[in-house]
Amino acid sequence: MSTSPISPSLLPDVAQDAAALARPLDWVGMDRIALPVRIADADGGSIQVAASVDVAVDLCDAGARGIHMSRLYLRLQQAFASETITPAGLRRVLQGFVESQQGLSTGARLTLRYDHLLQRAALASAHSGWKRYPVTIEASLREGHLRLALSLSVEYSSTCPASAALSRQLNAARFADEFAAARPLSTEVVRDWLASERGLAATPHAQRSRAEVRVELRQSFDELPVAALVDALEAALATPVQTAVKREDEQAFAELNAANLMFCEDAARRVAAVLSADPRVERFDARVAHFESLHPHDAVARVSGHNPG
């Protein structure tokens, strides 16, 4: 036998009870909420991606036991159903969170994580492939002021300048040893020797590397420049990891590595040069890590900066 549903107005609500140890709380909310969101694509439209969202409001009423948690959840479910994420849209959503609490809160915050997919052309062949970039968007609203931060990472290859110099020395020494008595030397003979296994006495070590950046964005731009920042960082580092690779692409990649020998310090300065020149960026923090093939530990450099407005 089933019972008749009880009217919501008659259900007990212990959240309305007075707090036992009254005091305001900085933030109250939910973490890791699954949510589909719409982001801008490369063609001026939008695509839907899976995201994980943290959402919270402050509890400024010291005597209130808790916030209206379900209202935050339901507002979030409706927030990005059909609208592409923009700074203006984030402001409206956060303001809606505050209003949903009916005087309990004055500020709201939201953290959204998703994987941004970008299609990348091969270096030399006619192929292309998709690459994944982890993105985090942080937005907070306090006293009507919106703060917006964007974090992302790019992977690239780093060839050690010291190892390259030591390898060149060994290559030169082998050449001098093998051709000490050869007179005269023809261009063809030297070319064939360089193209043989004997022409490579040593190779420099290289490794996959990662640049992680967090930028605080100015409010004068109504966009989230994910693809633009990725493009600028990859262009500056010059050796981003590849998607589709044929032999001609691999050769082109090796050539790029030789032309862009980098310590982690060099990579950090390249990243800082990009971020400090971007008018959308108010301040930035960056970390580059080279996952060493020579050592059992990583080489790491950090850099930060503030761009005067």
Side-chain angles (χ1 to χ4, degrees):
M1 185 173 109
S2 62
T3 59
S4 301
I6 301 174
S7 169
S9 62
L10 299 177
L11 295 173
D13 186 4
V14 297
Q16 298 296 324
D17 296 346
L21 300 171
R23 67 176 298 158
L25 299 176
D26 295 341
W27 298 108
V28 185
M30 295 156 283
D31 285 358
R32 297 185 298 276
I33 301 172
L35 190 74
V37 297
R38 304 202 68 83
I39 61 169
D41 63 17
D43 300 320
S46 65
I47 57 173
Q48 190 175 74
V49 299
S52 174
V53 184
D54 304 342
V55 60
V57 292
D58 62 345
L59 180 53
C60 58
D61 185 340
R65 187 174 186 182
I67 67 166
H68 300 288
M69 193 83 73
S70 63
R71 295 180 188 176
L72 283 184
Y73 182 86
L74 295 175
R75 290 254 182 168
L76 180 64
Q77 295 300 309
Q78 302 163 2
F80 305 113
S82 59
E83 182 181 352
T84 302
I85 294 178
T86 63
L90 288 168
R91 175 186 287 276
R92 288 194 297 271
V93 169
L94 292 172
Q95 185 60 46
F97 289 160
V98 173
E99 293 170 355
S100 74
Q101 299 304 304
Q102 297 180 326
L104 296 178
S105 305
T106 60
R109 63 187 299 180
L110 178 151
T111 301
L112 188 150
R113 305 173 198 86
Y114 72 96
D115 287 340
H116 198 104
L117 285 174
L118 292 175
Q119 193 169 36
R120 295 327 219 179
L123 290 172
S125 69
H127 301 288
S128 64
W130 292 92
K131 194 162 22 166
R132 177 173 59 89
Y133 301 88
V135 171
T136 299
I137 299 169
E138 302 168 69
S140 65
L141 187 68
R142 287 275 197 170
E143 298 179 350
H145 179 64
L146 177 69
R147 296 185 65 87
L148 194 59
L150 180 64
S151 300
L152 56 85
S153 64
V154 299
E155 292 190 337
Y156 61 99
S157 175
S158 59
T159 301
C160 176
S163 182
L166 295 168
S167 298
R168 289 194 300 268
Q169 183 184 54
L170 288 176
N171 290 332
R174 178 179 286 183
F175 177 85
D177 180 61
E178 297 204 2
F179 290 92
R183 294 291 185 275
L185 276 179
S186 70
T187 302
E188 291 77 11
V189 169
V190 175
R191 180 198 62 203
D192 291 344
W193 183 84
L194 289 172
S196 71
E197 289 187 5
R198 293 295 302 168
L200 193 62
T203 59
H205 75 80
Q207 52 273 319
R208 185 182 297 179
S209 306
R210 182 179 298 127
E212 300 169 338
V213 305
R214 180 182 183 275
V215 297
E216 294 180 17
L217 299 172
R218 289 198 171 97
Q219 297 307 301
S220 52
F221 297 90
D222 193 22
E223 62 176 334
L224 294 171
V226 176
L229 283 174
V230 168
D231 288 344
L233 290 168
E234 289 191 339
L237 292 164
T239 54
V241 296
Q242 299 297 298
T243 55
V245 175
K246 301 291 285 183
R247 281 177 296 173
E248 58 268 38
D249 303 309
E250 188 166 358
Q251 185 179 64
F253 189 65
E255 186 177 17
L256 280 174
N257 273 265
N260 292 277
L261 304 175
M262 280 185 288
F263 292 124
C264 64
E265 297 93 331
D266 300 316
R269 292 184 178 105
R270 291 190 183 198
V271 169
V274 167
L275 300 178
S276 61
D278 194 319
R280 294 164 295 205
V281 174
E282 183 169 335
R283 65 161 288 109
F284 64 87
D285 294 275
R287 174 184 182 271
V288 300
H290 291 186
F291 310 130
E292 291 280 333
S293 61
L294 174 63
H295 306 290
H297 51 261
D298 303 336
V300 177
R302 293 177 172 85
V303 64
S304 61
H306 182 272
N307 299 343

